[in-house]
């Protein structure tokens, strides 16, 4: 009931137009609720936005374990043309946000196609404007480059790699790359006004692209880089809450797809980021209701996905999918409230 009330407030206060919440252990779904505009239901699929990143990181662990793309591989081994500051970095740094790549740039404004975008990133931009970011800079560009690296090394599109190595084995049957118009997809009302502001800080003037057509990503770069059926490393996947539950269950208790030692290495260390994940912080999207060992990710389009390995019954998974309305609203406080509403440890704040 607390989660249902929370979702009603989330939609009623125009934070999102539709939402689905799921709370589960690795073996059992405890709570599933959906509210909002049709087709809002338990099986409704949403734009994952940056929640695509932990799916790609899962692929990275698989490719590393099988030896086809070790995470220790220097970027320059795959991209001889790489900027000197990037060339010596291991691929793992792209997924831990410590490669030195800039956070973002409007590739759809600066490049003509996908190949030109990859070249811009790997060469460090124009006159090095995309390299030299301080350590720990959250970087879409790093995940885009990892996705292109996997494609270049293995000679297979990223979406095909994800289907074969991650989505199929874990039963994440609802996940697609840029699916196009489908009746079970939640629509996005949000344009790219935040990207307009970010571009202005780089001295670039770009238009607001407006809300995307149904089944296309909200993210401007993902719209540009992805054709129907495709994804790139930072955004482009669509799916449902149960799909993320299956992914979370594997990270809670690896063995079906991932190796326990690989997961332990990915989550080891300090700082804000693990490999493919954010670490819990009190003022971020996780909040006090989750343990300090928790890890997760959020998507700008409105999603939140957190895993608490110290939760009851061997750990807990929290999924909140939503179609965000206002790009300038800080919705992390709503995500923290969700964890409080869904957790026995939490108090709704």
């Amino acid at each position: 009931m607390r989660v249902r009330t929370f979702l009603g407030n989330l939609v009623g206060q125009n934070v999102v137009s539709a939402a689905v919440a799921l709370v589960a252990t690795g073996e059992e779904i405890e709570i599933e609720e959906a509210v909002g505009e049709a087709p809002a239901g338990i099986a409704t699929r949403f734009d994952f936005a940056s929640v695509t990143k932990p799916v790609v990181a899962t692929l990275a662990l698989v490719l590393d374990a099988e030896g086809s793309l070790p995470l220790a591989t220097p970027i320059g081994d795959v991209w001889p043309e790489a900027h000197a500051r990037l060339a010596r970095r291991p691929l793992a740094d792209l997924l831990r946000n410590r490669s030195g790549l800039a956070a973002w740039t409007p590739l759809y404004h600066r490049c003509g196609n996908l190949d030109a975008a990859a070249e811009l990133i790997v060469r460090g931009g124009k006159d090095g404007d995309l390299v030299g970011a301080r350590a720990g800079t959250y970087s879409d560009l790093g995940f885009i480059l990892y996705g292109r690296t996997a494609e270049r090394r293995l000679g297979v599109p990223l979406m095909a790699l994800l289907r074969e190595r991650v989505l199929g084995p874990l039963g994440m049957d609802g996940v697609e790359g840029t699916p196009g118009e489908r009746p079970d997809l939640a629509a996005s009302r949000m344009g790219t006004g935040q990207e307009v502001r970010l571009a202005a800080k780089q001295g670039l003037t770009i238009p607001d692209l407006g809300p995307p057509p149904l089944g296309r990503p909200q993210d401007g770069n993902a719209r540009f880089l992805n054709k129907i059926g495709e994804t790139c490393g930072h955004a482009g996947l669509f799916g449902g809450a149960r799909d993320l539950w299956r992914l979370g269950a594997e990270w809670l208790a690896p063995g079906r797809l991932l190796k326990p030692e690989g997961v332990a290495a990915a989550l080891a260390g300090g700082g804000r980021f693990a490999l493919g994940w954010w670490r819990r912080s009190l003022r971020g999207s996780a909040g006090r209701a989750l343990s300090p060992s928790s890890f997760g990710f959020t998507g700008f389009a409105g999603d939140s996905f957190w895993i608490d390995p110290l939760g009851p019954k061997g750990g807990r998974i929290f999924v909140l999918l939503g179609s965000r309305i206002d790009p300038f609203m800080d919705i992390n406080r709503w995500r923290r409230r969700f964890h409080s509403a869904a957790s026995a440890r939490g108090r709704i704040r």
Side-chain angles (χ1 to χ4, degrees), residues 23 28 34 75-76 82 101 164 198 200 220 241 244 287 296 300:
V23 181
E28 176 184 29
I75 293 169
L101 277 170
E164 178 184 345
L198 293 174
L244 293 179
F300 191 77

Side-chain angles (χ1 to χ4, degrees), residues 85 89 93 96-103 129-139 272-273 278:
R85 285 178 139 180
R89 295 279 190 173
D93 281 2
R96 289 185 180 273
N97 294 290
R98 61 187 187 195
S99 68
L101 277 170
D129 71 316
L130 297 183
V131 291
R134 64 180 176 81
T137 296
Y138 172 63
S139 176
R272 293 193 299 160
F273 302 105
W278 288 86

Side-chain angles (χ1 to χ4, degrees), residues 243-296:
D243 295 311
L244 293 179
W245 167 50
R246 293 182 177 99
L247 179 65
E250 181 64 15
W251 279 81
L252 266 181
R256 183 177 177 184
L257 175 67
L258 300 176
K259 294 185 176 181
E261 60 269 26
V263 168
L267 298 177
R272 293 193 299 160
F273 302 105
L275 192 145
W277 301 95
W278 288 86
R279 301 187 198 278
R280 176 260 207 180
S281 67
L282 297 182
R283 295 190 177 184
S285 60
R288 297 180 183 277
L290 304 188
S291 78
S293 299
S294 299
F295 55 96

